Amino acid sequence: AKETGGGRAEYYRLEMDAEREGRNLLEIDLRAAIEQSELHVVYQPVVDAKTWRLVGVEALARWNRKGHGPVSPDIFIPIAESTGLIDQLGIYVLHRACETIAGWPELRLSVNISPGQFRDPAFVAHVGAVFRDTRTDPARITLEMTEGYFIQNPERARAALAKLKRLGVRIALDDFGVGFSSVGYLRQFGFDRMKIDKSMVHAMDDGGRAVDMLQATVALARSLEIPVTAEGVETKSQALALKRSGCDELQGYLFGKPMSAEEINTIYRNDSFP
Ligand code: C2E
Ligand code: CA
Ligand code: CA
Ligand code: CA
């Protein structure tokens, strides 16, 4: 029995080593990928809930790891966050996306910001520099943030947001319905928009309480005059229910997956989805 136990412990130790090793290799490759501009940016359409016309795009990072193929952002973003690479990665995505939207003057752009990026005291200055370099009107830009940072460090978060907003950007509360976000945060921190997470949207399909909850949430946001985008919209019936609940913008596979700038360009020029 003793031997089996030791063997198992040894096995777990090896497995943990392998995992750590894999993560280290991933980190090394990610660092190189960022330095060699191997990351790229894709754009997901955001449409008006009533007309289904394209009103904006969300920029999403992609990494095609050399010799391995695509790595999901759900894997590489947390690595970037825990290693400090997120500062460079985040500014890179913002810069690329701002260059790209110069060709689509009528569209707005959303970019995701990780809480860790605020740790860099020069973050707001870097964001301002991107707008200057790319001649981007900050009023077209929404920075999407999750609630984690606001709960952990409300005072610093409020100060950081105020500084960002002085640049002229909008701020959205991302992933609403996943963590502990409450509608109260919208007012408390001065968010300009709420984004309902896809998990809440998909839960609606089961009917009942999930629908009531979503409707109540959107109604509360609207009573504060804060517009609401729903993400993860995959079916027409979801799109209709979300519009009826008061969401003003929709995003999801029904309208388009994250795609290349060229593909967005075609939609933009034809003013219609393929
Ligand atoms: P997110 O900000 O919540 O982005 C929405 C995610 O939902 C994207 O996943 C998108 O591809 C996916 N999605 C959109 N519509 C649908 C749909 O109809 N059905 C389903 N099943 N999924 C849909 P993605 O691109 O894999 O990104 C995952 C997360 O990684 C993002 O979640 C965001 O938190 C993070 N991320 C991606 N790019 C960046 C970045 O440049 N910076 C930072 N800080 N985070 C990023
Ligand atoms: Ca987002
Ligand atoms: Ca989400
Ligand atoms: Ca997110």
Side-chain angles (χ1 to χ4, degrees):
K2 201 178 164 193
E3 218 181 67
T4 321
R8 198 176 295 137
E10 172 70 3
Y11 173 78
Y12 282 132
R13 199 180 60 76
L14 286 173
E15 198 178 47
M16 265 166 60
D17 282 353
E19 211 174 282
R20 202 175 305 122
E21 188 71 6
R23 218 179 132 85
N24 284 341
L25 288 175
L26 219 60
E27 180 191 335
I28 290 165
D29 281 6
L30 180 61
R31 195 176 293 274
I34 293 169
E35 271 152 20
Q36 291 151 25
S37 304
E38 224 179 76
L39 294 180
H40 63 283
V41 182
V42 288
Y43 302 89
Q44 186 174 33
V46 177
V47 307
D48 182 284
K50 292 198 178 98
T51 62
W52 288 16
R53 285 182 64 185
L54 184 67
V55 292
V57 292
E58 177 174 358
L60 294 155
R62 291 290 180 268
W63 178 25
N64 201 351
R65 188 181 178 202
K66 224 178 254 155
H68 294 264
V71 181
S72 163
D74 291 326
I75 305 279
F76 73 79
I77 293 290
I79 293 179
E81 285 171 341
S82 65
T83 54
L85 287 168
I86 194 68
D87 297 338
Q88 230 181 316
L89 187 155
I91 290 295
Y92 172 77
V93 171
L94 181 68
H95 197 279
R96 281 296 299 144
C98 283
E99 285 177 336
T100 304
I101 60 151
W104 309 322
E106 277 122 85
L107 301 188
R108 286 182 288 115
L109 167 71
S110 287
V111 177
N112 295 286
I113 298 294
S114 292
Q117 291 180 257
F118 277 116
R119 258 181 262 134
D120 177 0
F123 171 63
V124 177
H126 287 156
V127 172
V130 169
F131 297 153
R132 271 196 308 282
D133 289 353
T134 57
R135 300 167 191 277
T136 302
D137 177 3
R140 296 174 65 192
I141 311 299
T142 302
L143 302 179
E144 302 190 351
M145 305 191 54
T146 50
E147 88 291 337
Y149 185 60
F150 302 95
I151 296 176
Q152 281 163 26
N153 216 328
E155 281 320 308
R156 278 184 56 189
R158 202 194 309 273
L161 276 198
K163 253 173 96 181
L164 264 182
K165 288 184 76 166
R166 258 179 263 134
L167 290 177
V169 296
R170 313 227 158 108
I171 313 282
L173 180 56
D174 204 359
D175 287 351
F176 196 94
V178 171
F180 300 95
S181 310
S182 79
V183 176
Y185 293 152
L186 294 169
R187 173 56 72 68
Q188 195 182 332
F189 293 101
F191 283 101
D192 303 294
R193 177 170 286 277
M194 176 165 90
K195 281 197 84 170
I196 305 236
D197 188 68
K198 53 179 177 277
S199 56
M200 221 174 162
V201 170
H202 298 167
M204 280 197 322
D205 292 345
D206 305 329
R209 270 183 49 80
V211 179
D212 295 341
M213 228 172 69
L214 191 133
Q215 280 172 348
T217 302
V218 178
L220 270 169
R222 281 170 56 102
S223 73
L224 299 171
E225 293 181 335
I226 288 164
V228 181
T229 305
E231 87 175 11
V233 184
E234 294 179 353
T235 65
K236 281 188 182 168
S237 67
Q238 286 168 351
L240 285 174
L242 290 161
K243 184 192 70 174
R244 264 188 258 114
S245 304
C247 294
D248 70 315
E249 292 182 357
L250 307 175
Q251 180 181 346
Y253 295 169
L254 176 64
F255 308 102
K257 293 196 172 181
M259 57 184 84
S260 68
E262 289 72 33
E263 289 168 288
I264 292 286
N265 209 32
T266 306
I267 297 172
Y268 180 75
R269 274 192 329 226
N270 301 336
D271 195 21
S272 72
F273 287 89

